[in-house]
Amino acid sequence: MLELRLVQGSLLKKVLESIKDLVNDANFDCSSTGFSLQAMDSSHVALVSLLLRSEGFEHYRCDRNLSMGMNLGNMSKMLRCAGNDDIITIKADDGGDTVTFMFESPTQDKIADFEMKLMDIDSEHLGIPDAEYHSIVRMPSNEFSRICKDLSSIGDTVVISVTKEGVKFSTAGDIGTANIVLRQNTTVDKPEDAIVIEMNEPVSLSFALRYMNSFTKATPLSDTVTISLSSELPVVVEYKVAEMGYIRYYLAPKIEEEEDTKT
Amino acid sequence: MGIKGLTKLLADNAPNAMKEQKFESYFGRKIAVDASMSIYQFLIVVGRTGTEMLTNEAGEVTSHLQGMFNRTIRLLEAGIKPVYVFDGKPPELKRQELAKRYSKRADATADLTGAIEAGNKEDIEKYSKRTVKVTKQHNDDCKRLLRLMGVPVVEATSEAEAQCAALCKAGKVYGVASEDMDSLTFGAPKFLRHLMDPSSRKIPVMEFDVAKILEELQLTMDQFIDLCILSGCDYCDSIRGIGGQTALKLIRQHGSIETILENINKERYQIPEEWPYNEARKLFKEPDVLTDEEQLDIKWTSPDEEGIVQFLVNENGFNIDRVTKAVEKIKSAKNKSSQGRLESFFKPVATSSVPAKRKELPESNAKGAASKKTKGGGGRKKK
């Protein structure tokens, strides 16, 4: 038996909108600690990891660990039927092959039940080791979204470099090149507008902008985004989900292979 | 060709060893492709209706070039790095099998003449497929084209499947793409079917994992090879009356062909005289393959645009616009191939969560349909 009641239902709607473009089908894993998901895109270049901790739910009941395979497109269709102020409850039985989403309006005068068929999804779970990153950048999420969007109109690859001077996003394409440099800035009125750069070691990596752009779909979830970079690891782009969890996107960097060099 | 009924046997007895994968998920992977098999498919499928084939001005067949060119570009565009392996000299034991195929082809040629005279379109279609033969010229054309495209070519000393499997075992490639189930018997750790199928057929790639097959069948590799020989392979006859299912039972019971021979009812099962199963076994276990690092120089290079245009447009009458566009595709695909895969950083782990109830019935139905489909698809190519 599984029953999760989320008062701020709009969070779940936003979560879905931020992963459904990257992944078609995925298993949601429920345990006593929380509601989570890990899934890769079909080309195994990007990974999304979602966690909503049990404390964030008004009511959280999960009798035994359960993995539910869902088509995210269909799930999003159903969640779009929920109002932004609605309370969403997710319900499933052990051994059942459906999941129910219940939407309650804040005034309790409307209750809607949507039942969705579950799928059997065979997916690999990747072990992600905790790592010390060379550089960590925290910045306003809409600023990051804007940069990715702007750069993708020029080129298809972004080079992110962190140095003493700041963080530089650059790209090159047929029509020309673009460089955007952000400097550390903590003297702002609102803490979420700050740009904080923690650099242990300078780092410079290339990434496909197409994926970065799909990560920025999570912008409505959080005012800030944290980008963690290490030269031999995938980048992590993290958005906090209220006080209850996070969405982390991992993206494998572009690499220059020896065998790709001209002979 | 291949091992008789192995696909079905595995679908029934080791369903977890085969997985359907999306074509895109092979992004960034190096894959060894059995070239001879592909060329054969191209000759049958690409631009052929009845006895008409795609030809150049001189009347030479160009279906294989068209197929090889387009299909390889499709792989490259998906970020896959193919290595094509060509057959060398067939092993002695395969002579008999080849002679059989030769005579079948001769029969088909005769039937085809008959069908053309009778004007029976279906029969023309049927028999002309069977008369298709891959010649040395076809192979040489494809090798030349691939080298111009910057795709590595390996010329096996003997069987291409064996060489593919050896590349895979040595970790030079991620998997082996072929339609020939022999690849598993040669011990290719990952074997992919339908990778080279046209995208229009929308058939997912079927990935076989040898380690899992052995685990599920509870056999050792040696026993699996014996099972394949008993089921019927290219190198020797099998025992009449023993198919895959019986063979699996016998191997599980007795452990090897020798013990089976000691124990089975010889009245009921006719064991072929002079049965060279031991030689066949040796061919599977220690095939004649290249292992020398120098000869296996596998490198993907930039395409030679002028060379491709010269070969395809000037010599073989391809449309110049299409060829130049295709070359552009190869070039842009090369940039894309520098994208890394997550698996090179993070390793898969086992999940702890129990899946919500699996839908047993539709699931097994779907599996049955899938295996039927693969069987049908495979059968078409086995002719």
Side-chain angles (χ1 to χ4, degrees), chain A residues 3 18 20 36 38 64 66 73 79 83 102 113 115 118 160 164 173 176 193 195-196 200 211 217 233 237 248 262:
Chain A
E3 205 171 284
S18 55
K20 75 169 173 49
S36 65
Q38 193 204 73
R64 63 176 191 131
L66 202 64
L79 291 180
M102 187 172 81
D113 265 319
E115 193 179 79
L118 292 177
I160 306 181
K164 281 199 300 280
D193 288 342
I195 297 170
V196 185
N200 300 320
Y211 289 99
K217 295 277 190 301
L233 284 174
V237 179
R248 287 182 188 151
K262 287 179 188 173

PDB file of all heavy atoms in Angstrom, chain A residues 3 18 20 36 38 64 66 73 79 83 102 113 115 118 160 164 173 176 193 195-196 200 211 217 233 237 248 262:
ATOM      1  N   GLU A   3       0.556   5.554  -0.198  1.00  0.00           N
ATOM      2  CA  GLU A   3      -0.296   6.736  -0.227  1.00  0.00           C
ATOM      3  C   GLU A   3       0.545   7.961   0.119  1.00  0.00           C
ATOM      4  O   GLU A   3       1.082   8.065   1.221  1.00  0.00           O
ATOM      5  CB  GLU A   3      -1.443   6.578   0.777  1.00  0.00           C
ATOM      6  CG  GLU A   3      -2.649   7.423   0.394  1.00  0.00           C
ATOM      7  CD  GLU A   3      -3.852   7.095   1.256  1.00  0.00           C
ATOM      8  OE1 GLU A   3      -4.465   6.039   1.022  1.00  0.00           O
ATOM      9  OE2 GLU A   3      -4.147   7.886   2.163  1.00  0.00           O
ATOM     10  N   SER A  18       9.620  19.051 -15.986  1.00  0.00           N
ATOM     11  CA  SER A  18      11.057  19.240 -16.137  1.00  0.00           C
ATOM     12  C   SER A  18      11.795  17.946 -16.487  1.00  0.00           C
ATOM     13  O   SER A  18      12.978  17.990 -16.783  1.00  0.00           O
ATOM     14  CB  SER A  18      11.639  19.858 -14.864  1.00  0.00           C
ATOM     15  OG  SER A  18      11.309  19.063 -13.763  1.00  0.00           O
ATOM     16  N   LYS A  20      10.009  15.238 -18.437  1.00  0.00           N
ATOM     17  CA  LYS A  20       9.359  14.432 -19.462  1.00  0.00           C
ATOM     18  C   LYS A  20       9.967  14.602 -20.866  1.00  0.00           C
ATOM     19  O   LYS A  20       9.816  13.722 -21.699  1.00  0.00           O
ATOM     20  CB  LYS A  20       7.858  14.711 -19.497  1.00  0.00           C
ATOM     21  CG  LYS A  20       7.467  16.017 -20.124  1.00  0.00           C
ATOM     22  CD  LYS A  20       5.970  16.032 -20.320  1.00  0.00           C
ATOM     23  CE  LYS A  20       5.425  17.361 -20.785  1.00  0.00           C
ATOM     24  NZ  LYS A  20       6.070  18.011 -21.907  1.00  0.00           N
ATOM     25  N   SER A  36      11.494   8.616  -5.341  1.00  0.00           N
ATOM     26  CA  SER A  36      12.653   8.989  -6.160  1.00  0.00           C
ATOM     27  C   SER A  36      12.572   8.393  -7.551  1.00  0.00           C
ATOM     28  O   SER A  36      11.750   7.509  -7.841  1.00  0.00           O
ATOM     29  CB  SER A  36      13.936   8.527  -5.476  1.00  0.00           C
ATOM     30  OG  SER A  36      13.956   7.128  -5.414  1.00  0.00           O
ATOM     31  N   GLN A  38      15.360   7.606 -11.021  1.00  0.00           N
ATOM     32  CA  GLN A  38      16.617   7.797 -11.743  1.00  0.00           C
ATOM     33  C   GLN A  38      16.417   7.264 -13.144  1.00  0.00           C
ATOM     34  O   GLN A  38      15.971   6.129 -13.323  1.00  0.00           O
ATOM     35  CB  GLN A  38      17.754   7.021 -11.068  1.00  0.00           C
ATOM     36  CG  GLN A  38      19.106   7.453 -11.594  1.00  0.00           C
ATOM     37  CD  GLN A  38      20.185   6.394 -11.439  1.00  0.00           C
ATOM     38  OE1 GLN A  38      20.186   5.397 -12.143  1.00  0.00           O
ATOM     39  NE2 GLN A  38      21.100   6.625 -10.522  1.00  0.00           N
ATOM     40  N   ARG A  64       6.078  -1.089   1.738  1.00  0.00           N
ATOM     41  CA  ARG A  64       7.318  -1.754   1.320  1.00  0.00           C
ATOM     42  C   ARG A  64       7.837  -1.072   0.067  1.00  0.00           C
ATOM     43  O   ARG A  64       7.072  -0.427  -0.668  1.00  0.00           O
ATOM     44  CB  ARG A  64       7.090  -3.244   1.087  1.00  0.00           C
ATOM     45  CG  ARG A  64       6.119  -3.539  -0.024  1.00  0.00           C
ATOM     46  CD  ARG A  64       6.006  -5.027  -0.269  1.00  0.00           C
ATOM     47  NE  ARG A  64       5.278  -5.235  -1.507  1.00  0.00           N
ATOM     48  CZ  ARG A  64       5.681  -6.041  -2.466  1.00  0.00           C
ATOM     49  NH1 ARG A  64       6.794  -6.709  -2.362  1.00  0.00           N
ATOM     50  NH2 ARG A  64       4.959  -6.187  -3.563  1.00  0.00           N
ATOM     51  N   LEU A  66       8.730  -0.015  -3.420  1.00  0.00           N
ATOM     52  CA  LEU A  66       7.920  -0.268  -4.608  1.00  0.00           C
ATOM     53  C   LEU A  66       8.521   0.494  -5.776  1.00  0.00           C
ATOM     54  O   LEU A  66       8.972   1.628  -5.626  1.00  0.00           O
ATOM     55  CB  LEU A  66       6.500   0.231  -4.315  1.00  0.00           C
ATOM     56  CG  LEU A  66       5.368  -0.347  -5.132  1.00  0.00           C
ATOM     57  CD1 LEU A  66       5.250  -1.837  -4.862  1.00  0.00           C
ATOM     58  CD2 LEU A  66       4.063   0.345  -4.757  1.00  0.00           C
ATOM     59  N   GLY A  73       5.076  10.951 -20.352  1.00  0.00           N
ATOM     60  CA  GLY A  73       4.189  11.767 -21.190  1.00  0.00           C
ATOM     61  C   GLY A  73       2.750  11.622 -20.702  1.00  0.00           C
ATOM     62  O   GLY A  73       2.034  12.611 -20.523  1.00  0.00           O
ATOM     63  N   LEU A  79      -1.429  14.894 -14.847  1.00  0.00           N
ATOM     64  CA  LEU A  79      -1.147  15.924 -13.841  1.00  0.00           C
ATOM     65  C   LEU A  79      -1.546  17.313 -14.322  1.00  0.00           C
ATOM     66  O   LEU A  79      -1.834  18.198 -13.532  1.00  0.00           O
ATOM     67  CB  LEU A  79       0.326  15.901 -13.440  1.00  0.00           C
ATOM     68  CG  LEU A  79       0.757  14.666 -12.646  1.00  0.00           C
ATOM     69  CD1 LEU A  79       2.226  14.738 -12.311  1.00  0.00           C
ATOM     70  CD2 LEU A  79      -0.059  14.517 -11.367  1.00  0.00           C
ATOM     71  N   GLY A  83      -5.416  21.345 -10.806  1.00  0.00           N
ATOM     72  CA  GLY A  83      -5.261  22.790 -10.687  1.00  0.00           C
ATOM     73  C   GLY A  83      -3.970  23.111  -9.951  1.00  0.00           C
ATOM     74  O   GLY A  83      -3.427  22.267  -9.241  1.00  0.00           O
ATOM     75  N   MET A 102      -5.000  11.536  -7.167  1.00  0.00           N
ATOM     76  CA  MET A 102      -6.232  12.175  -6.718  1.00  0.00           C
ATOM     77  C   MET A 102      -5.972  13.665  -6.536  1.00  0.00           C
ATOM     78  O   MET A 102      -4.997  14.058  -5.898  1.00  0.00           O
ATOM     79  CB  MET A 102      -6.686  11.559  -5.402  1.00  0.00           C
ATOM     80  CG  MET A 102      -8.041  12.057  -4.964  1.00  0.00           C
ATOM     81  SD  MET A 102      -8.627  11.126  -3.551  1.00  0.00           S
ATOM     82  CE  MET A 102      -7.750  11.947  -2.248  1.00  0.00           C
ATOM     83  N   ASP A 113     -10.280  11.766  -9.515  1.00  0.00           N
ATOM     84  CA  ASP A 113      -9.431  10.573  -9.460  1.00  0.00           C
ATOM     85  C   ASP A 113      -8.971  10.238 -10.865  1.00  0.00           C
ATOM     86  O   ASP A 113      -9.800  10.073 -11.755  1.00  0.00           O
ATOM     87  CB  ASP A 113     -10.256   9.386  -8.957  1.00  0.00           C
ATOM     88  CG  ASP A 113     -10.112   9.196  -7.472  1.00  0.00           C
ATOM     89  OD1 ASP A 113      -8.983   9.335  -6.985  1.00  0.00           O
ATOM     90  OD2 ASP A 113     -11.129   8.909  -6.816  1.00  0.00           O
ATOM     91  N   GLU A 115      -6.751   7.381 -12.868  1.00  0.00           N
ATOM     92  CA  GLU A 115      -6.030   6.125 -12.705  1.00  0.00           C
ATOM     93  C   GLU A 115      -5.181   5.866 -13.944  1.00  0.00           C
ATOM     94  O   GLU A 115      -5.675   6.012 -15.069  1.00  0.00           O
ATOM     95  CB  GLU A 115      -7.040   4.989 -12.513  1.00  0.00           C
ATOM     96  CG  GLU A 115      -6.404   3.714 -12.023  1.00  0.00           C
ATOM     97  CD  GLU A 115      -7.438   2.619 -11.832  1.00  0.00           C
ATOM     98  OE1 GLU A 115      -7.844   2.001 -12.822  1.00  0.00           O
ATOM     99  OE2 GLU A 115      -7.841   2.401 -10.678  1.00  0.00           O
ATOM    100  N   LEU A 118       0.275   1.084 -15.131  1.00  0.00           N
ATOM    101  CA  LEU A 118       1.729   1.040 -14.940  1.00  0.00           C
ATOM    102  C   LEU A 118       2.360   0.230 -16.073  1.00  0.00           C
ATOM    103  O   LEU A 118       1.685  -0.532 -16.757  1.00  0.00           O
ATOM    104  CB  LEU A 118       2.060   0.402 -13.598  1.00  0.00           C
ATOM    105  CG  LEU A 118       1.661   1.220 -12.369  1.00  0.00           C
ATOM    106  CD1 LEU A 118       1.976   0.456 -11.105  1.00  0.00           C
ATOM    107  CD2 LEU A 118       2.380   2.568 -12.367  1.00  0.00           C
ATOM    108  N   ILE A 160      32.144  25.344 -20.713  1.00  0.00           N
ATOM    109  CA  ILE A 160      32.021  26.022 -19.422  1.00  0.00           C
ATOM    110  C   ILE A 160      33.397  25.996 -18.758  1.00  0.00           C
ATOM    111  O   ILE A 160      33.957  24.916 -18.537  1.00  0.00           O
ATOM    112  CB  ILE A 160      30.986  25.326 -18.512  1.00  0.00           C
ATOM    113  CG1 ILE A 160      29.636  25.193 -19.244  1.00  0.00           C
ATOM    114  CG2 ILE A 160      30.802  26.113 -17.215  1.00  0.00           C
ATOM    115  CD1 ILE A 160      28.541  24.539 -18.406  1.00  0.00           C
ATOM    116  N   LYS A 164      39.827  31.888 -11.870  1.00  0.00           N
ATOM    117  CA  LYS A 164      39.802  32.876 -10.795  1.00  0.00           C
ATOM    118  C   LYS A 164      38.885  34.051 -11.132  1.00  0.00           C
ATOM    119  O   LYS A 164      38.218  34.605 -10.275  1.00  0.00           O
ATOM    120  CB  LYS A 164      41.220  33.419 -10.560  1.00  0.00           C
ATOM    121  CG  LYS A 164      42.096  32.499  -9.766  1.00  0.00           C
ATOM    122  CD  LYS A 164      43.282  33.243  -9.167  1.00  0.00           C
ATOM    123  CE  LYS A 164      44.179  33.896 -10.193  1.00  0.00           C
ATOM    124  NZ  LYS A 164      45.143  33.011 -10.860  1.00  0.00           N
ATOM    125  N   GLY A 173      29.831  28.792 -33.697  1.00  0.00           N
ATOM    126  CA  GLY A 173      28.993  28.181 -34.725  1.00  0.00           C
ATOM    127  C   GLY A 173      29.352  28.756 -36.069  1.00  0.00           C
ATOM    128  O   GLY A 173      30.351  29.476 -36.211  1.00  0.00           O
ATOM    129  N   GLY A 176      29.326  32.672 -36.071  1.00  0.00           N
ATOM    130  CA  GLY A 176      30.257  33.414 -35.235  1.00  0.00           C
ATOM    131  C   GLY A 176      30.442  32.755 -33.886  1.00  0.00           C
ATOM    132  O   GLY A 176      30.177  31.563 -33.726  1.00  0.00           O
ATOM    133  N   ASP A 193      19.613  36.059  -5.873  1.00  0.00           N
ATOM    134  CA  ASP A 193      20.218  36.692  -7.050  1.00  0.00           C
ATOM    135  C   ASP A 193      21.738  36.587  -7.061  1.00  0.00           C
ATOM    136  O   ASP A 193      22.393  37.027  -8.008  1.00  0.00           O
ATOM    137  CB  ASP A 193      19.829  38.176  -7.113  1.00  0.00           C
ATOM    138  CG  ASP A 193      18.369  38.339  -7.506  1.00  0.00           C
ATOM    139  OD1 ASP A 193      17.809  37.359  -8.052  1.00  0.00           O
ATOM    140  OD2 ASP A 193      17.794  39.418  -7.263  1.00  0.00           O
ATOM    141  N   ILE A 195      25.603  35.339  -7.259  1.00  0.00           N
ATOM    142  CA  ILE A 195      26.385  34.396  -8.056  1.00  0.00           C
ATOM    143  C   ILE A 195      27.561  33.991  -7.178  1.00  0.00           C
ATOM    144  O   ILE A 195      28.373  34.836  -6.795  1.00  0.00           O
ATOM    145  CB  ILE A 195      26.885  35.048  -9.361  1.00  0.00           C
ATOM    146  CG1 ILE A 195      25.695  35.445 -10.237  1.00  0.00           C
ATOM    147  CG2 ILE A 195      27.819  34.094 -10.106  1.00  0.00           C
ATOM    148  CD1 ILE A 195      26.064  36.303 -11.417  1.00  0.00           C
ATOM    149  N   VAL A 196      27.601  32.740  -6.808  1.00  0.00           N
ATOM    150  CA  VAL A 196      28.645  32.272  -5.900  1.00  0.00           C
ATOM    151  C   VAL A 196      29.498  31.250  -6.629  1.00  0.00           C
ATOM    152  O   VAL A 196      28.976  30.276  -7.193  1.00  0.00           O
ATOM    153  CB  VAL A 196      28.022  31.612  -4.642  1.00  0.00           C
ATOM    154  CG1 VAL A 196      29.102  31.231  -3.656  1.00  0.00           C
ATOM    155  CG2 VAL A 196      27.001  32.547  -4.011  1.00  0.00           C
ATOM    156  N   ASN A 200      37.987  25.181  -6.442  1.00  0.00           N
ATOM    157  CA  ASN A 200      39.124  24.496  -5.844  1.00  0.00           C
ATOM    158  C   ASN A 200      40.230  24.333  -6.876  1.00  0.00           C
ATOM    159  O   ASN A 200      41.406  24.383  -6.581  1.00  0.00           O
ATOM    160  CB  ASN A 200      38.713  23.131  -5.308  1.00  0.00           C
ATOM    161  CG  ASN A 200      37.630  23.254  -4.257  1.00  0.00           C
ATOM    162  OD1 ASN A 200      37.675  24.161  -3.433  1.00  0.00           O
ATOM    163  ND2 ASN A 200      36.636  22.389  -4.311  1.00  0.00           N
ATOM    164  N   TYR A 211      21.078  19.320 -24.476  1.00  0.00           N
ATOM    165  CA  TYR A 211      20.727  18.741 -23.177  1.00  0.00           C
ATOM    166  C   TYR A 211      20.602  19.822 -22.110  1.00  0.00           C
ATOM    167  O   TYR A 211      19.683  19.798 -21.294  1.00  0.00           O
ATOM    168  CB  TYR A 211      21.772  17.706 -22.754  1.00  0.00           C
ATOM    169  CG  TYR A 211      21.714  16.454 -23.593  1.00  0.00           C
ATOM    170  CD1 TYR A 211      22.598  16.265 -24.649  1.00  0.00           C
ATOM    171  CD2 TYR A 211      20.749  15.489 -23.359  1.00  0.00           C
ATOM    172  CE1 TYR A 211      22.526  15.127 -25.437  1.00  0.00           C
ATOM    173  CE2 TYR A 211      20.667  14.360 -24.131  1.00  0.00           C
ATOM    174  CZ  TYR A 211      21.556  14.175 -25.178  1.00  0.00           C
ATOM    175  OH  TYR A 211      21.475  13.067 -25.951  1.00  0.00           O
ATOM    176  N   LYS A 217      14.338  23.268 -18.186  1.00  0.00           N
ATOM    177  CA  LYS A 217      12.882  23.132 -18.017  1.00  0.00           C
ATOM    178  C   LYS A 217      12.531  23.102 -16.523  1.00  0.00           C
ATOM    179  O   LYS A 217      11.374  23.268 -16.146  1.00  0.00           O
ATOM    180  CB  LYS A 217      12.385  21.838 -18.660  1.00  0.00           C
ATOM    181  CG  LYS A 217      12.533  21.783 -20.163  1.00  0.00           C
ATOM    182  CD  LYS A 217      11.363  22.480 -20.828  1.00  0.00           C
ATOM    183  CE  LYS A 217      11.324  22.242 -22.328  1.00  0.00           C
ATOM    184  NZ  LYS A 217      12.534  22.703 -23.024  1.00  0.00           N
ATOM    185  N   LEU A 233      34.528  14.095 -14.635  1.00  0.00           N
ATOM    186  CA  LEU A 233      33.182  13.626 -14.300  1.00  0.00           C
ATOM    187  C   LEU A 233      32.111  14.362 -15.102  1.00  0.00           C
ATOM    188  O   LEU A 233      32.352  15.450 -15.600  1.00  0.00           O
ATOM    189  CB  LEU A 233      32.908  13.879 -12.809  1.00  0.00           C
ATOM    190  CG  LEU A 233      33.553  12.944 -11.801  1.00  0.00           C
ATOM    191  CD1 LEU A 233      33.289  13.438 -10.392  1.00  0.00           C
ATOM    192  CD2 LEU A 233      33.044  11.525 -11.970  1.00  0.00           C
ATOM    193  N   VAL A 237      23.817  19.461 -12.712  1.00  0.00           N
ATOM    194  CA  VAL A 237      23.022  20.689 -12.666  1.00  0.00           C
ATOM    195  C   VAL A 237      21.881  20.403 -11.704  1.00  0.00           C
ATOM    196  O   VAL A 237      21.053  19.538 -11.967  1.00  0.00           O
ATOM    197  CB  VAL A 237      22.492  21.034 -14.072  1.00  0.00           C
ATOM    198  CG1 VAL A 237      21.633  22.289 -14.029  1.00  0.00           C
ATOM    199  CG2 VAL A 237      23.641  21.206 -15.052  1.00  0.00           C
ATOM    200  N   ARG A 248      18.434  16.464  -9.972  1.00  0.00           N
ATOM    201  CA  ARG A 248      19.809  16.615 -10.434  1.00  0.00           C
ATOM    202  C   ARG A 248      19.920  16.044 -11.830  1.00  0.00           C
ATOM    203  O   ARG A 248      19.452  14.934 -12.086  1.00  0.00           O
ATOM    204  CB  ARG A 248      20.767  15.840  -9.528  1.00  0.00           C
ATOM    205  CG  ARG A 248      20.968  16.484  -8.186  1.00  0.00           C
ATOM    206  CD  ARG A 248      21.958  15.689  -7.360  1.00  0.00           C
ATOM    207  NE  ARG A 248      21.976  16.227  -6.002  1.00  0.00           N
ATOM    208  CZ  ARG A 248      22.251  15.508  -4.929  1.00  0.00           C
ATOM    209  NH1 ARG A 248      22.550  14.229  -5.050  1.00  0.00           N
ATOM    210  NH2 ARG A 248      22.241  16.067  -3.737  1.00  0.00           N
ATOM    211  N   LYS A 262      42.719  13.063 -36.993  1.00  0.00           N
ATOM    212  CA  LYS A 262      42.997  12.692 -38.381  1.00  0.00           C
ATOM    213  C   LYS A 262      44.317  11.939 -38.464  1.00  0.00           C
ATOM    214  O   LYS A 262      45.252  12.233 -37.738  1.00  0.00           O
ATOM    215  CB  LYS A 262      43.063  13.951 -39.251  1.00  0.00           C
ATOM    216  CG  LYS A 262      41.695  14.528 -39.464  1.00  0.00           C
ATOM    217  CD  LYS A 262      41.782  15.764 -40.303  1.00  0.00           C
ATOM    218  CE  LYS A 262      40.422  16.439 -40.346  1.00  0.00           C
ATOM    219  NZ  LYS A 262      40.458  17.706 -41.005  1.00  0.00           N
TER     220      LYS A 262
END
